[in-house]
Amino acid sequence: MEQDRKHFELDPDSDDTLVVSMHTDAIMDLVCSPYEAAALLWVALEAAGKRRPEGPLTIRNW
């Protein structure tokens, strides 16, 4: 359900930004593993950046 998710804009000042959506239970599980959470998010962002016609992502809200 949508209310069970938390959304994070990667660049809040841009109209054309990616939004990371995570389930609140996943966030709670990842709180104990910040390095693993960051690595998983980075891999997902790298993959998304390669598919964007505009090119790689610029992350300003990390």
Side-chain angles (χ1 to χ4, degrees), residues 12-33:
D13 298 327
S14 173
D15 291 336
D16 183 33
T17 187
L18 293 178
V19 176
V20 175
S21 173
M22 295 182 71
H23 193 275
T24 52
D25 290 342
I27 294 171
M28 295 308 295
D29 289 340
L30 292 171
V31 165
C32 298
S33 304

